[in-house]
Amino acid sequence: MKILLLTFSLLVIASCTGVQKKSDTVQEASVSDTVQRDKNYNPEANLTSLGIELKTPSTPVANYVHAVRSGNLLFLAGKGPKKPDGKNIVGKLGDDLSLEEGYEAARMAGINQLAVLKAELGNLNKVKRIVKVKGMVNAVPDFADHSKIINGYSDLMVAVFGEKGKHARAAVGMGSLPGNMAVEVEMVVEVY
C-alpha cells in the first residue's frame, strides 16, 4: 500500500512539473511570436522619416500631470496645438480658422502628445497600440466638420504607429477651449 501511495505521489509531482514546463514553453513561444510579428514596428524610425523632432514637454500649468499609468494603459491629459515657438494655434473653426488650419492644429496637438509619450516611456516603440482619442474642437455652433479637423491627429497616429495607431475616437465641438486654442485632444494608450 505504501509503495502504491508513493508511486501515485511521484506521478502527481512529475505531471505537475511537466505541466509547468509545458506552460513555460507556451509562454516563451508567445513572447517569441510577438517579437517576430512586430519586427517591422518602429515608431521612432517613422517619426524620423516624417521629419518630426519631439520637444521636452513643458510643466503642466495647473494641478494635473501629463499622464497617469494604470496597468498597461497610459491616460494622457488633453494637449493643445502649441507650436515650437510656444504659442498655441488659436481661434474658432467656422469663423477664424479654415479646415486646413484646424487639421494642422490637431496634428500639432498630436505631436505634443507624442512628446509626452516619449517622455513617459523613453521610447515610442513601447507603445502597443493607440486605444482611444477624444478630440475637442473650438467651433461656432453651426460648424459640422469636427471629424475632418481631428483627422489631423488620427492621421498622424497612423503615420507613426501604422495599424497600431488606429483607434476608437470621439470628435466633438466645444463653445470654447482654454486660451481660445483651436483644439484639445486627450488619449489612452496601451503600452508594453
Side-chain angles (χ1 to χ4, degrees):
M1 182 68 168
K2 286 183 181 181
I3 294 175
L4 185 59
L5 188 55
L6 181 61
T7 304
F8 178 74
S9 297
L10 289 174
L11 284 174
V12 169
I13 292 170
S15 67
C16 288
T17 304
V19 169
Q20 182 64 37
K21 287 181 182 175
K22 184 176 180 183
S23 175
D24 291 345
T25 303
V26 170
Q27 188 175 11
E28 288 171 18
S30 66
V31 169
S32 175
D33 291 345
T34 300
V35 170
Q36 191 72 350
R37 267 195 315 265
D38 295 342
K39 66 182 178 182
N40 295 322
Y41 179 66
N42 194 341
E44 291 286 339
N46 292 343
L47 261 187
T48 301
S49 70
L50 292 167
I52 297 173
E53 185 180 329
L54 300 178
K55 307 289 184 199
T56 302
S58 59
T59 303
V61 296
N63 192 14
Y64 71 94
V65 294
H66 287 301
V68 172
R69 186 169 182 164
S70 179
N72 64 341
L73 294 178
L74 198 58
F75 296 81
L76 278 71
K79 290 288 169 245
K82 188 174 286 188
K83 301 180 288 186
D85 67 5
K87 296 179 182 175
N88 278 313
I89 298 171
V90 297
K92 281 195 177 295
L93 274 296
D95 188 16
D96 308 313
L97 300 170
S98 68
L99 287 176
E100 294 77 17
E101 290 168 320
Y103 180 96
E104 184 55 34
R107 186 177 188 279
M108 187 60 63
I111 291 170
N112 294 330
Q113 285 286 34
L114 292 175
V116 168
L117 267 177
K118 176 124 180 171
E120 291 290 323
L121 300 173
N123 187 313
L124 293 178
N125 294 348
K126 293 180 181 178
V127 171
K128 188 170 185 180
R129 84 165 294 123
I130 306 300
V131 176
K132 173 79 183 213
V133 167
K134 180 180 178 186
M136 296 161 275
V137 180
N138 186 1
V140 296
D142 61 347
F143 185 77
D145 289 322
H146 307 88
S147 292
K148 290 179 182 176
I149 302 306
I150 301 304
N151 280 345
Y153 190 100
S154 296
D155 292 348
L156 177 65
M157 294 303 125
V158 173
V160 173
F161 298 104
E163 287 296 310
K164 295 177 181 203
K166 291 185 177 179
H167 48 269
R169 184 180 89 176
V172 297
M174 298 289 168
S176 66
L177 287 172
N180 198 33
M181 62 185 167
V183 299
E184 183 174 1
V185 186
E186 60 184 43
M187 178 166 66
V188 179
V189 179
E190 184 179 10
V191 296
Y192 287 108

